[in-house]
Amino acid sequence: MSTVKIRELTKQYGHAQVLRGINLDIKDGQFVVLVGPSGCGKSTLLRMIAGLEEVSSGHIAINERIVNDLPPKERDIAMVFQNYALYPHMTVRDNMAFSLKLRHFPPAEINARVEQVAASLGLTPLLSRYPRQLSGGQRQRVAMGRSVVRQPQVFLFDEPLSNLDAKLRVQMRSEIKQLHQRLHTTTVYVTHDQVEAMTMGDLVVVMRDGVIEQAGDPLSLYDCPANQFVASFLGSPAMNFLPGILQNEGSEIRFADGSSCALHDSRPTRNGGPVVFGIRPEHLHLAASGIPANVLVVEPTGSEMIVMLETTANAGNPLCMVLRQRHHLKPGERIFVQPQTGCEHLFESGSGTRISETQNHFAH
Ligand SMILES: Nc1ncnc2c1ncn2[C@@H]1O[C@H](COP(=O)(O)OP(=O)(O)OP(=O)(O)O)[C@@H](O)[C@H]1O
Ligand SMILES: [Mg+2]
């Protein structure tokens, strides 16, 4: 049973306010991903949970016990960093056993734990090798193994995969997830990679400039982002945004080129208001009428086609459309695109806050 509760947590370095009132409840066994652009405070928050940074104000509780003044080694937490720094002069077995030896565990217990964790991480054949004799992915696995043998209450990961190549990252991502499914240890995982966040997290926490913009399960955030920042941060290619004006009692939006588009009945009824219309690339379709567009670039990926479009509805900002079917589109071709009804997102012009009242109805 390990929960983490964070209340009104702030962090200041001199005059710089790095975290501003963070509130977060992490349930027992949850896999929480902190995601956000560089410098938003992810590592600082993680390091504060670990006890490596002092709390400026607010509090952190692990298992209902406030740990603000508890040194890291008394928090029963294991942290895996991007630079996992294995001891180069020790074998895999000794690297994994090291922290247990320091804590004076009996040798038989150390052996049993190391053997068991090595087996579960596929490290058994590598136990007598030195770190220099391992690949990057194997080293990362040893670094995880070193934490797992301790059986901590909470795992903290800070961008553990960012040193690995793309293919290995995908493989390790699924290994970490499987490890979590086996151990059910409460985990906080930091990344700036939105795909990692979406695929790994039970709870995804999107941060910006020291605040939490939104927290929720990955698909709720994707389907119902609270603001334009979250909408643009999650999803690749990113959501398109078109400025427009509501008309016909809010049943329609008109864009700068005079074209318009019917809205789903979940939007608030009001006329004449400037709003931002958000539509994901996979929710734009080819049509006989709609928003007129010029094909700029066609990028076939094999499974789908990414099409960049120039429109006067959104002058200067190309629209991105993702097609699952193989259409023969050519650069320069004039086409019409139509947003899929019910899949639009409406945001307040200026603040970027979501104004769609209910969750959109998606076709998936
Ligand atoms: N020891 C420090 N002294 C002063 N400022 C710091 C210190 N550590 C971090 N900061 C600042 O705090 C802010 C948040 O840093 P943090 O390392 O938490 O960001 P991050 O979200 O982990 O970013 P990245 O994705 O680049 O790792 C940054 O603006 C950083 O410059
Ligand atoms: Mg960081």
Side-chain angles (χ1 to χ4, degrees):
M1 170 64 192
S2 346
T3 60
V4 180
K5 279 195 182 142
I6 297 172
R7 286 289 172 276
E8 295 302 329
L9 191 72
T10 72
K11 179 68 186 174
Q12 235 159 315
Y13 289 113
H15 292 299
Q17 185 88 19
V18 172
L19 294 178
R20 319 151 186 262
I22 300 285
N23 289 295
L24 186 62
D25 277 346
I26 300 174
K27 297 197 188 93
D28 182 42
Q30 222 171 13
F31 196 112
V32 176
V33 179
L34 306 178
V35 65
S38 185
C40 70
K42 307 178 294 291
S43 297
T44 305
L45 178 53
L46 199 74
R47 292 171 59 81
M48 284 165 91
I49 299 172
L52 301 170
E53 297 283 348
E54 270 183 33
V55 169
S56 300
S57 71
H59 71 249
I60 302 175
I62 299 175
N63 289 334
E64 308 293 335
R65 172 184 180 209
I66 293 182
V67 296
N68 284 27
D69 300 318
L70 210 62
K73 63 176 190 315
E74 287 172 35
R75 295 192 185 194
D76 202 3
I77 265 174
M79 190 144 170
V80 181
F81 296 95
Q82 173 183 349
N83 300 312
Y84 31 80
L86 301 174
Y87 300 108
H89 58 287
M90 288 186 196
T91 61
V92 168
R93 178 186 295 277
D94 290 341
N95 264 287
M96 286 173 67
F98 189 67
S99 67
L100 300 180
K101 279 187 186 154
L102 279 186
R103 286 174 177 76
H104 306 295
F105 274 66
E109 164 92 23
I110 295 179
N111 252 335
R113 284 202 195 183
V114 168
E115 300 275 341
Q116 190 217 347
V117 172
S120 78
L121 287 170
L123 291 170
T124 309
L126 308 176
L127 279 172
S128 50
R129 288 210 201 160
Y130 289 89
R132 64 174 182 279
Q133 300 168 314
L134 302 174
S135 72
Q138 291 166 337
R139 278 181 219 169
Q140 186 55 268
R141 242 177 274 158
V142 177
M144 284 197 301
R146 204 168 50 170
S147 305
V148 174
V149 290
R150 284 180 43 202
Q151 301 174 354
Q153 297 275 348
V154 183
F155 282 125
L156 304 177
F157 290 93
D158 195 350
E159 311 238 12
L161 308 184
S162 51
N163 282 346
L164 307 179
D165 68 46
K167 196 169 166 208
L168 200 51
R169 250 195 344 246
V170 173
Q171 188 189 332
M172 290 301 294
R173 185 166 92 193
S174 121
E175 280 185 23
I176 293 177
K177 209 168 161 174
Q178 286 173 43
L179 188 70
H180 179 255
Q181 284 161 3
R182 272 204 307 276
L183 303 175
H184 302 290
T185 308
T186 308
T187 301
V188 188
Y189 186 103
V190 164
T191 179
H192 60 258
D193 180 339
Q194 52 99 10
V195 178
E196 237 169 75
M198 293 284 291
T199 52
M200 299 181 84
D202 302 323
L203 180 74
V204 175
V205 178
V206 181
M207 294 177 64
R208 173 170 63 163
D209 289 343
V211 300
I212 294 178
E213 291 283 341
Q214 193 175 4
D217 72 89
L219 291 180
S220 306
L221 295 199
Y222 189 81
D223 291 346
C224 209
N227 54 45
Q228 255 181 282
F229 175 76
V230 176
S232 62
F233 194 79
L234 298 179
S236 175
M239 188 187 284
N240 298 294
F241 297 112
L242 293 101
I245 304 281
L246 291 181
Q247 55 185 25
N248 284 349
E249 305 302 322
S251 64
E252 222 177 57
I253 184 166
R254 184 164 45 82
F255 301 116
D257 63 351
S259 66
S260 59
C261 163
L263 296 174
H264 190 260
D265 60 7
S266 61
R267 81 273 161 268
T269 29
R270 49 180 204 180
N271 270 336
V275 292
V276 175
F277 177 89
I279 190 82
R280 294 206 179 272
E282 67 268 30
H283 295 140
L284 271 181
H285 304 297
L286 283 172
S289 64
I291 304 170
N294 243 336
V295 176
L296 283 175
V297 183
V298 181
E299 300 172 341
T301 66
S303 60
E304 54 195 22
M305 279 169 63
I306 302 171
V307 186
M308 299 306 291
L309 302 164
E310 185 183 40
T311 63
T312 44
N314 197 20
N317 288 316
L319 285 187
C320 179
M321 170 168 71
V322 170
L323 299 175
R324 301 255 154 76
Q325 305 80 22
R326 296 190 178 179
H327 293 278
H328 292 285
L329 292 175
K330 291 193 185 58
E333 200 172 328
R334 303 269 311 155
I335 57 166
F336 289 100
V337 294
Q338 196 66 265
Q340 188 171 323
T341 315
C343 292
E344 75 272 5
H345 305 258
L346 285 189
F347 303 100
E348 225 170 63
S349 191
S351 72
T353 306
R354 179 182 198 86
I355 48 177
S356 308
E357 280 168 347
T358 56
Q359 183 154 0
N360 296 2
H361 300 283
F362 288 92
H364 51 65

